[in-house]
Amino acid sequence: NASSAITRHGGSASGSITGDGASATTNITLVATGSIAGTVFHFGGTTPAGGVVITLSDGHSATADSQGRYRIDLVPVGAYTVDATDPATGDRGRASAVIASQDQVVTTNITLIGVGKVIVTVKDGGLIPVSGAQVRLDSQTVFGGRQTGTTQADGTLTFANVLAGGYSVSATDPVTTLTGSNTGNITVNG
């Protein structure tokens, strides 16, 4: 990344060094830049979410302050996906922003979608709990994501902090290799 403090133009480039002692030349063209700023909110859109990591589709990133506020400067003119991730819970949010001119500040508030809990119970054909079953939960939200685990003696496994929205779950009994699956929808704090 490079920027001019006088013109506030910025740019970036990448390259690779092919071996020990090699050198590489990288040219950077400075272009018009602006800023993306806003506030991140927890599900519901009223409570600020501090400590959330905001990442633009071009790799720029920032961390929201304790009031959920963030600002990313020297962002080249263009369209961006703005993702927010709460590192403590895995909660996510997404918005979009377009910087159209030099020094434009685009306000982009983001509301996290929320997380809930999924309790999976695995039983065999005789309705006996299956201990040690391998379970996989896949989020069907725009963010995707997978969690895996093994059932306890009572045949249950709890997945905490599952993104709100649709999910699919599958299980395999390691002894019999029998499988089963289901789908569901998680509500916030559900």
Side-chain angles (χ1 to χ4, degrees):
N1 289 335
S3 62
S4 167
I6 297 170
T7 65
R8 293 191 41 82
H9 285 121
S12 63
S14 62
S16 63
I17 296 178
T18 58
D20 185 34
S23 63
T25 300
T26 302
N27 298 314
I28 299 175
T29 302
L30 299 180
V31 297
T33 64
S35 300
I36 297 175
T39 304
V40 182
F41 296 97
H42 286 288
F43 176 79
T46 57
T47 305
V52 172
V53 176
I54 298 86
T55 306
L56 302 184
S57 49
D58 74 344
H60 280 86
S61 65
T63 301
D65 68 14
S66 63
Q67 296 301 307
R69 296 179 302 239
Y70 73 94
R71 181 177 172 125
I72 303 173
D73 294 316
L74 297 171
V75 179
V77 168
Y80 297 91
T81 299
V82 185
D83 280 331
T85 304
D86 183 338
T89 65
D91 201 356
R92 305 280 305 266
R94 177 173 284 172
S96 59
V98 176
I99 296 176
S101 61
Q102 177 69 28
D103 293 328
Q104 180 183 13
V105 178
V106 178
T107 300
T108 307
N109 294 331
I110 305 166
T111 300
L112 302 176
I113 64 173
V115 293
K117 176 172 56 176
V118 175
I119 301 169
V120 177
T121 303
V122 179
K123 295 182 179 180
D124 66 14
L127 301 180
I128 306 296
V130 178
S131 175
Q134 302 299 312
V135 181
R136 181 180 80 202
L137 183 141
D138 290 309
S139 172
Q140 295 173 338
T141 68
V142 298
F143 304 106
R146 174 175 288 172
Q147 297 183 45
T148 60
T150 304
T151 57
Q152 304 174 80
D154 65 356
T156 65
L157 174 62
T158 300
F159 291 103
N161 298 325
V162 176
L163 290 174
Y167 66 88
S168 63
V169 65
S170 61
T172 302
D173 182 337
V175 175
T176 65
T177 68
L178 293 175
T179 63
S181 63
N182 207 343
T183 61
N185 190 56
I186 188 82
T187 56
V188 176
N189 299 321

PDB file of all heavy atoms in Angstrom, residues 85-105:
ATOM      1  N   THR A  85     -17.139  -8.899  11.607  1.00  0.00           N
ATOM      2  CA  THR A  85     -17.073 -10.154  12.353  1.00  0.00           C
ATOM      3  C   THR A  85     -16.759  -9.854  13.806  1.00  0.00           C
ATOM      4  O   THR A  85     -15.775  -9.183  14.108  1.00  0.00           O
ATOM      5  CB  THR A  85     -15.976 -11.081  11.778  1.00  0.00           C
ATOM      6  OG1 THR A  85     -16.225 -11.299  10.398  1.00  0.00           O
ATOM      7  CG2 THR A  85     -15.949 -12.408  12.510  1.00  0.00           C
ATOM      8  N   ASP A  86     -17.604 -10.369  14.698  1.00  0.00           N
ATOM      9  CA  ASP A  86     -17.341 -10.247  16.130  1.00  0.00           C
ATOM     10  C   ASP A  86     -16.424 -11.408  16.520  1.00  0.00           C
ATOM     11  O   ASP A  86     -16.849 -12.567  16.492  1.00  0.00           O
ATOM     12  CB  ASP A  86     -18.648 -10.317  16.918  1.00  0.00           C
ATOM     13  CG  ASP A  86     -18.452 -10.117  18.412  1.00  0.00           C
ATOM     14  OD1 ASP A  86     -17.334 -10.338  18.920  1.00  0.00           O
ATOM     15  OD2 ASP A  86     -19.436  -9.734  19.071  1.00  0.00           O
ATOM     16  N   PRO A  87     -15.158 -11.126  16.869  1.00  0.00           N
ATOM     17  CA  PRO A  87     -14.226 -12.224  17.168  1.00  0.00           C
ATOM     18  C   PRO A  87     -14.611 -13.013  18.417  1.00  0.00           C
ATOM     19  O   PRO A  87     -14.189 -14.160  18.567  1.00  0.00           O
ATOM     20  CB  PRO A  87     -12.880 -11.523  17.340  1.00  0.00           C
ATOM     21  CG  PRO A  87     -13.196 -10.105  17.635  1.00  0.00           C
ATOM     22  CD  PRO A  87     -14.519  -9.815  16.995  1.00  0.00           C
ATOM     23  N   ALA A  88     -15.424 -12.432  19.293  1.00  0.00           N
ATOM     24  CA  ALA A  88     -15.796 -13.120  20.526  1.00  0.00           C
ATOM     25  C   ALA A  88     -16.877 -14.180  20.286  1.00  0.00           C
ATOM     26  O   ALA A  88     -16.880 -15.226  20.935  1.00  0.00           O
ATOM     27  CB  ALA A  88     -16.279 -12.117  21.568  1.00  0.00           C
ATOM     28  N   THR A  89     -17.801 -13.915  19.349  1.00  0.00           N
ATOM     29  CA  THR A  89     -18.939 -14.824  19.151  1.00  0.00           C
ATOM     30  C   THR A  89     -19.021 -15.414  17.751  1.00  0.00           C
ATOM     31  O   THR A  89     -19.767 -16.361  17.531  1.00  0.00           O
ATOM     32  CB  THR A  89     -20.261 -14.079  19.403  1.00  0.00           C
ATOM     33  OG1 THR A  89     -20.408 -13.055  18.408  1.00  0.00           O
ATOM     34  CG2 THR A  89     -20.307 -13.480  20.799  1.00  0.00           C
ATOM     35  N   GLY A  90     -18.310 -14.822  16.794  1.00  0.00           N
ATOM     36  CA  GLY A  90     -18.429 -15.261  15.405  1.00  0.00           C
ATOM     37  C   GLY A  90     -19.598 -14.618  14.688  1.00  0.00           C
ATOM     38  O   GLY A  90     -19.857 -14.912  13.518  1.00  0.00           O
ATOM     39  N   ASP A  91     -20.342 -13.749  15.364  1.00  0.00           N
ATOM     40  CA  ASP A  91     -21.475 -13.070  14.735  1.00  0.00           C
ATOM     41  C   ASP A  91     -20.977 -12.269  13.536  1.00  0.00           C
ATOM     42  O   ASP A  91     -19.850 -11.749  13.550  1.00  0.00           O
ATOM     43  CB  ASP A  91     -22.159 -12.148  15.758  1.00  0.00           C
ATOM     44  CG  ASP A  91     -23.585 -11.797  15.380  1.00  0.00           C
ATOM     45  OD1 ASP A  91     -24.039 -12.191  14.289  1.00  0.00           O
ATOM     46  OD2 ASP A  91     -24.241 -11.112  16.196  1.00  0.00           O
ATOM     47  N   ARG A  92     -21.801 -12.154  12.510  1.00  0.00           N
ATOM     48  CA  ARG A  92     -21.379 -11.514  11.268  1.00  0.00           C
ATOM     49  C   ARG A  92     -22.430 -10.516  10.790  1.00  0.00           C
ATOM     50  O   ARG A  92     -23.603 -10.616  11.127  1.00  0.00           O
ATOM     51  CB  ARG A  92     -21.180 -12.559  10.154  1.00  0.00           C
ATOM     52  CG  ARG A  92     -20.240 -13.710  10.447  1.00  0.00           C
ATOM     53  CD  ARG A  92     -18.780 -13.386  10.305  1.00  0.00           C
ATOM     54  NE  ARG A  92     -18.397 -12.844   9.023  1.00  0.00           N
ATOM     55  CZ  ARG A  92     -17.942 -13.546   8.001  1.00  0.00           C
ATOM     56  NH1 ARG A  92     -17.825 -14.850   8.097  1.00  0.00           N
ATOM     57  NH2 ARG A  92     -17.580 -12.940   6.887  1.00  0.00           N
ATOM     58  N   GLY A  93     -21.985  -9.596   9.955  1.00  0.00           N
ATOM     59  CA  GLY A  93     -22.866  -8.649   9.292  1.00  0.00           C
ATOM     60  C   GLY A  93     -22.231  -8.220   7.986  1.00  0.00           C
ATOM     61  O   GLY A  93     -21.007  -8.351   7.809  1.00  0.00           O
ATOM     62  N   ARG A  94     -23.027  -7.705   7.069  1.00  0.00           N
ATOM     63  CA  ARG A  94     -22.491  -7.310   5.766  1.00  0.00           C
ATOM     64  C   ARG A  94     -23.294  -6.132   5.229  1.00  0.00           C
ATOM     65  O   ARG A  94     -24.496  -6.040   5.405  1.00  0.00           O
ATOM     66  CB  ARG A  94     -22.573  -8.477   4.789  1.00  0.00           C
ATOM     67  CG  ARG A  94     -22.113  -8.135   3.377  1.00  0.00           C
ATOM     68  CD  ARG A  94     -22.060  -9.343   2.494  1.00  0.00           C
ATOM     69  NE  ARG A  94     -20.867 -10.129   2.838  1.00  0.00           N
ATOM     70  CZ  ARG A  94     -20.613 -11.332   2.340  1.00  0.00           C
ATOM     71  NH1 ARG A  94     -21.436 -11.901   1.506  1.00  0.00           N
ATOM     72  NH2 ARG A  94     -19.495 -11.956   2.681  1.00  0.00           N
ATOM     73  N   ALA A  95     -22.573  -5.241   4.561  1.00  0.00           N
ATOM     74  CA  ALA A  95     -23.187  -4.101   3.879  1.00  0.00           C
ATOM     75  C   ALA A  95     -22.358  -3.833   2.630  1.00  0.00           C
ATOM     76  O   ALA A  95     -21.347  -4.498   2.389  1.00  0.00           O
ATOM     77  CB  ALA A  95     -23.206  -2.874   4.795  1.00  0.00           C
ATOM     78  N   SER A  96     -22.772  -2.861   1.848  1.00  0.00           N
ATOM     79  CA  SER A  96     -21.988  -2.484   0.670  1.00  0.00           C
ATOM     80  C   SER A  96     -21.806  -0.978   0.672  1.00  0.00           C
ATOM     81  O   SER A  96     -22.591  -0.237   1.266  1.00  0.00           O
ATOM     82  CB  SER A  96     -22.658  -2.959  -0.613  1.00  0.00           C
ATOM     83  OG  SER A  96     -23.951  -2.415  -0.728  1.00  0.00           O
ATOM     84  N   ALA A  97     -20.739  -0.552   0.007  1.00  0.00           N
ATOM     85  CA  ALA A  97     -20.428   0.881  -0.057  1.00  0.00           C
ATOM     86  C   ALA A  97     -19.785   1.174  -1.402  1.00  0.00           C
ATOM     87  O   ALA A  97     -19.094   0.336  -1.966  1.00  0.00           O
ATOM     88  CB  ALA A  97     -19.480   1.268   1.072  1.00  0.00           C
ATOM     89  N   VAL A  98     -20.021   2.393  -1.899  1.00  0.00           N
ATOM     90  CA  VAL A  98     -19.408   2.839  -3.152  1.00  0.00           C
ATOM     91  C   VAL A  98     -18.765   4.192  -2.907  1.00  0.00           C
ATOM     92  O   VAL A  98     -19.430   5.139  -2.480  1.00  0.00           O
ATOM     93  CB  VAL A  98     -20.447   2.952  -4.286  1.00  0.00           C
ATOM     94  CG1 VAL A  98     -19.794   3.509  -5.546  1.00  0.00           C
ATOM     95  CG2 VAL A  98     -21.098   1.609  -4.561  1.00  0.00           C
ATOM     96  N   ILE A  99     -17.464   4.266  -3.154  1.00  0.00           N
ATOM     97  CA  ILE A  99     -16.760   5.547  -3.117  1.00  0.00           C
ATOM     98  C   ILE A  99     -16.663   6.020  -4.565  1.00  0.00           C
ATOM     99  O   ILE A  99     -16.105   5.326  -5.417  1.00  0.00           O
ATOM    100  CB  ILE A  99     -15.363   5.407  -2.491  1.00  0.00           C
ATOM    101  CG1 ILE A  99     -15.506   4.972  -1.022  1.00  0.00           C
ATOM    102  CG2 ILE A  99     -14.589   6.723  -2.601  1.00  0.00           C
ATOM    103  CD1 ILE A  99     -14.182   4.718  -0.330  1.00  0.00           C
ATOM    104  N   ALA A 100     -17.233   7.194  -4.830  1.00  0.00           N
ATOM    105  CA  ALA A 100     -17.309   7.692  -6.206  1.00  0.00           C
ATOM    106  C   ALA A 100     -16.352   8.837  -6.503  1.00  0.00           C
ATOM    107  O   ALA A 100     -16.096   9.129  -7.669  1.00  0.00           O
ATOM    108  CB  ALA A 100     -18.743   8.135  -6.509  1.00  0.00           C
ATOM    109  N   SER A 101     -15.837   9.495  -5.454  1.00  0.00           N
ATOM    110  CA  SER A 101     -14.990  10.662  -5.716  1.00  0.00           C
ATOM    111  C   SER A 101     -13.933  10.838  -4.623  1.00  0.00           C
ATOM    112  O   SER A 101     -14.065  10.299  -3.520  1.00  0.00           O
ATOM    113  CB  SER A 101     -15.849  11.923  -5.819  1.00  0.00           C
ATOM    114  OG  SER A 101     -16.536  12.154  -4.603  1.00  0.00           O
ATOM    115  N   GLN A 102     -12.905  11.613  -4.953  1.00  0.00           N
ATOM    116  CA  GLN A 102     -11.810  11.902  -4.028  1.00  0.00           C
ATOM    117  C   GLN A 102     -12.333  12.489  -2.722  1.00  0.00           C
ATOM    118  O   GLN A 102     -13.204  13.360  -2.722  1.00  0.00           O
ATOM    119  CB  GLN A 102     -10.825  12.883  -4.683  1.00  0.00           C
ATOM    120  CG  GLN A 102      -9.679  13.335  -3.806  1.00  0.00           C
ATOM    121  CD  GLN A 102      -8.692  12.218  -3.502  1.00  0.00           C
ATOM    122  OE1 GLN A 102      -8.529  11.293  -4.261  1.00  0.00           O
ATOM    123  NE2 GLN A 102      -8.037  12.319  -2.361  1.00  0.00           N
ATOM    124  N   ASP A 103     -11.828  11.989  -1.612  1.00  0.00           N
ATOM    125  CA  ASP A 103     -12.136  12.455  -0.261  1.00  0.00           C
ATOM    126  C   ASP A 103     -13.585  12.251   0.174  1.00  0.00           C
ATOM    127  O   ASP A 103     -14.004  12.766   1.211  1.00  0.00           O
ATOM    128  CB  ASP A 103     -11.734  13.925  -0.070  1.00  0.00           C
ATOM    129  CG  ASP A 103     -10.230  14.125  -0.123  1.00  0.00           C
ATOM    130  OD1 ASP A 103      -9.494  13.206   0.291  1.00  0.00           O
ATOM    131  OD2 ASP A 103      -9.785  15.199  -0.590  1.00  0.00           O
ATOM    132  N   GLN A 104     -14.364  11.499  -0.591  1.00  0.00           N
ATOM    133  CA  GLN A 104     -15.736  11.196  -0.189  1.00  0.00           C
ATOM    134  C   GLN A 104     -15.710  10.287   1.036  1.00  0.00           C
ATOM    135  O   GLN A 104     -14.913   9.353   1.120  1.00  0.00           O
ATOM    136  CB  GLN A 104     -16.480  10.500  -1.335  1.00  0.00           C
ATOM    137  CG  GLN A 104     -17.916  10.142  -1.002  1.00  0.00           C
ATOM    138  CD  GLN A 104     -18.592   9.383  -2.143  1.00  0.00           C
ATOM    139  OE1 GLN A 104     -17.947   8.922  -3.080  1.00  0.00           O
ATOM    140  NE2 GLN A 104     -19.902   9.259  -2.046  1.00  0.00           N
ATOM    141  N   VAL A 105     -16.573  10.586   2.006  1.00  0.00           N
ATOM    142  CA  VAL A 105     -16.733   9.729   3.176  1.00  0.00           C
ATOM    143  C   VAL A 105     -18.106   9.080   3.068  1.00  0.00           C
ATOM    144  O   VAL A 105     -19.130   9.772   3.073  1.00  0.00           O
ATOM    145  CB  VAL A 105     -16.612  10.522   4.495  1.00  0.00           C
ATOM    146  CG1 VAL A 105     -16.828   9.597   5.692  1.00  0.00           C
ATOM    147  CG2 VAL A 105     -15.251  11.202   4.591  1.00  0.00           C
TER     148      VAL A 105
END
